[in-house]
Amino acid sequence: MKALVFRAFGGPEVLAVEEIAEPALAPGTAVVRMKAIGLNYADVYRRQGNYHLVGEPPYILGYEGAGVVEAVAPGVAGIRPGDRVGFADAPRANAELVGVPADRLIPLPDGIGFDTAAAVLLQGLTAHYLANDSYAVRPGDRILVHAAAGGVGQLLAQLCKAKSAYVIGLTSSEAKRETALAAGADEALLYGGDWAAEVLRRTASPGGSGEAGVDAAYDSVGATLMDSFRAVRTRGTVVFFGMAGGDPPLVDPRMLMDTSKTLTGGDLWNHVTTAADRIRRAESLFGDLLAGRLKLAAPTRFPLAEGAAAHRLIESRASTGKILLVP
């Protein structure tokens, strides 16, 4: 089979398509013929050598995708050849065939295509646990979403809106500000200047009788953590789930005591620990997509052989929708 591989860490130029052996049908797994593969920034970090990789070269990136089951190991129940499936956490996805643990496969309902599944699963499952578990968004809540034009940001803003919250997005450019607004944010501010003070100003009641600040801030930037604390009200919550802008500053726990504010962390893999978790959350996302409550920007598709170009695009930070690789 063909796979996008690399043999040394480095820039996009280290990626190349090669013919390698097909994956073995291991116990408890299924082999999936890939139709669409999601590209994520974690793939860039792994290619650069910043994330741990198991095994020896040639390395194969990719953890997310969708396709058709080609073979099922003996004893695996509930999955048959020909089933349409997706997954968000199975390695070596940048290939024509992928061996996937059966408990990580997510059935695709009618109406959800391969591109849609590969574009929504990882980031959608992340947005789902953030809005439902890290901080359970309620009607009338005022929510601040960092990087609101990004993949998780756009979905998170829409899920919060579906819960009747008021969403303020933060973006790095005017073009991304328009993307965040188109995705459903009620307002969108630009990083730079004192954006936390602007959030407080915009959330203050006209008569001054209500407390300014958002109920929750979802911070995936990291370096902005202290400003996120400033932007939330007393007894508000900051959800820290990424470091796209650099390491966060250290937090003195006395600050939490003085303001009664809550800091919580978020990691998807603490929330999808069983097949039932994955399927329940994925079915919720698919239902929102089919009902029109959740919308995806059209993905940018690259043939698997042009994986290096896809990596250049995601590293440019110029893309706003999902990038897919297509075998």
Side-chain angles (χ1 to χ4, degrees), residues 33-323:
R33 182 165 293 279
M34 302 302 292
K35 299 296 184 182
I37 304 160
L39 177 62
N40 296 288
Y41 217 86
D43 296 315
V44 173
Y45 294 140
R46 291 186 178 94
R47 189 203 73 222
Q48 293 172 336
N50 296 324
Y51 278 11
H52 180 65
L53 280 169
V54 176
E56 300 295 329
Y59 297 117
I60 303 176
L61 297 170
Y63 275 77
E64 173 187 33
V68 177
V69 174
E70 188 151 296
V72 180
V76 171
I79 301 169
R80 298 175 300 178
D83 285 352
R84 300 168 63 254
V85 295
F87 59 86
D89 59 341
R92 301 169 67 87
N94 287 359
E96 292 179 320
L97 296 169
V98 181
V100 183
D103 62 354
R104 298 184 185 181
L105 290 172
I106 297 168
L108 303 185
D110 293 341
I112 298 296
F114 297 119
D115 281 14
T116 297
V120 78
L121 277 175
L122 184 62
Q123 292 164 335
L125 290 171
T126 299
H128 188 275
Y129 89 79
L130 290 170
N132 289 281
D133 298 85
S134 295
Y135 175 84
V137 177
R138 299 159 298 190
D141 277 348
R142 297 169 299 182
I143 303 296
L144 181 67
V145 176
H146 282 265
V152 173
Q154 290 186 52
L155 295 170
L156 180 57
Q158 292 179 71
L159 291 179
C160 291
K161 287 300 298 176
K163 292 174 173 286
S164 300
Y166 188 87
V167 177
I168 301 173
L170 283 166
T171 67
S172 60
S173 70
E174 190 61 39
K176 291 187 176 183
R177 177 180 177 275
E178 294 301 320
T179 297
L181 292 171
D186 295 285
E187 301 182 67
L189 307 177
L190 296 178
Y191 291 110
D194 193 348
W195 58 260
E198 183 63 14
V199 170
L200 293 172
R201 185 186 72 79
R202 293 186 181 220
T203 53
S205 61
S209 57
E211 184 182 1
V214 295
D215 296 284
Y218 290 99
D219 194 324
S220 59
V221 177
T224 55
L225 192 64
M226 299 312 295
D227 282 330
S228 290
F229 272 110
R230 288 176 53 213
V232 300
R233 63 171 176 81
T234 302
R235 302 182 308 281
T237 298
V238 175
V239 182
F240 166 62
F241 70 103
M243 297 175 287
D247 291 337
L250 297 177
V251 175
D252 186 337
R254 291 174 295 185
M255 179 185 70
L256 305 179
M257 180 176 68
D258 292 343
T259 62
S260 296
K261 295 178 182 179
T262 297
L263 171 63
T264 186
D267 182 82
L268 174 60
W269 310 123
N270 294 324
H271 294 273
V272 288
T273 58
T274 67
D277 290 336
R278 289 175 175 80
I279 292 172
R280 174 179 62 84
R281 292 181 190 276
E283 286 179 345
S284 177
L285 291 170
F286 295 153
D288 285 339
L289 285 165
L290 292 171
R293 292 185 294 269
L294 195 61
K295 292 181 171 61
L296 288 176
T300 302
R301 304 170 90 244
F302 285 85
L304 189 62
E306 296 178 16
H311 274 241
R312 291 187 186 97
L313 177 59
I314 198 171
E315 284 190 83
S316 75
R317 305 280 188 177
S319 60
T320 54
K322 188 75 172 186
I323 298 173

